[in-house]
Structure formats: C-alpha cells, structure tokens
Amino acid sequence: MPSEILRLRASIDNIDAALVHLLAERFKLTRQVGELKAIGNMPPADPSRDAQQIERLTAIAEASGLDPDFAVQFRQFIVSEVIRRHELIAREHAGETMPELDTYA
Ligand SMILES: C=C(O[C@@H]1C=C(C(=O)O)C=C[C@H]1O)C(=O)O
C-alpha cells in the first residue's frame, strides 16, 4: 500500500474515533433529555427543534463544503435512533408509574 494512503488512513482513523466519541457523548445527553421528557409527559419527537436543527446544519454544511442533503440524512439517521430510545424510556417510565394491577385486572 502506498505510504501516502497509509498516512491519510491514519488521519481517517483518528476522525472515525472522534466521531464515535462525539456520538457517545451526544447519546448520553439525549438520554437525559429523553428521561426529562418522560417525566414531563412530553412526546419523544420535537418537530420545531428538528426544523431549527435542519436549517442550522444545512447552513453549516454549505459553508463547510459538505453536501447539505448528506448532512440532513446523517442527522435524521441519528435522530431516528434517539427517538426510538426516547420511546423506550417513555414506556419504561409509564410502566414504573402505573399502579399495581390485581390478578383480575
Ligand atoms: C433530543 C431531543 O429529542 C429529539 C431528538 C433530537 C436530537 O437528537 O437532536 C432533536 C429533537 C427531538 O426530535 C430534543 O428534543 O432535544
């Protein structure tokens, strides 16, 4: 393998590691948001927040030379998983707070 490709791959590996670390931190934060939403009986998805983020990320992608459609799809991939997890948290929370059912309920 040419040394130039190996050199480039070393930086690509560093960036991939950073992306995984960033995603791990992001999911820690969104889990906390999910717990707060469950406690406050708020729905997992927030369409107005979604619209703000899409507008903001589109502008950032355009300014930085990334395909904005890709940026929006990438965000949607992540947020879909966040919402799936929020739904699980909400179900867990609802189960915890439900009254005990008797044998005949
Ligand atoms: C995390 C939240 O919940 C959902 C997930 C979002 C995200 O991962 O960025 C944004 C909005 C919501 O659809 C939130 O409302 O902040």
Side-chain angles (χ1 to χ4, degrees):
M1 189 60 65
S3 63
E4 182 67 354
I5 289 182
L6 294 176
R7 186 185 66 77
L8 293 167
R9 282 183 177 175
S11 285
I12 290 167
D13 287 350
N14 285 345
I15 290 168
D16 287 348
L19 288 173
V20 170
H21 285 300
L22 288 170
L23 278 173
E25 292 306 306
R26 191 183 199 282
F27 274 103
K28 286 179 195 169
L29 298 171
T30 54
R31 188 185 66 219
Q32 291 175 63
V33 172
E35 285 163 359
L36 292 169
K37 284 182 172 177
I39 290 166
N41 282 318
M42 298 164 70
D46 184 340
S48 67
R49 168 81 170 144
D50 292 342
Q52 286 168 3
Q53 285 177 309
I54 289 167
E55 189 180 344
R56 179 171 175 270
L57 287 178
T58 297
I60 292 170
E62 282 167 355
S64 60
L66 182 69
D67 177 354
D69 291 339
F70 172 79
V72 169
Q73 281 175 28
F74 182 62
R75 176 200 167 276
Q76 188 53 47
F77 178 67
I78 296 166
V79 172
S80 296
E81 176 62 12
V82 170
I83 289 172
R84 189 186 72 79
R85 293 181 185 205
H86 281 192
E87 287 167 350
L88 286 174
I89 294 168
R91 279 206 288 279
E92 280 169 21
H93 187 265
E96 275 168 21
T97 56
M98 265 165 60
E100 286 286 318
L101 298 177
D102 65 41
T103 318
Y104 306 103

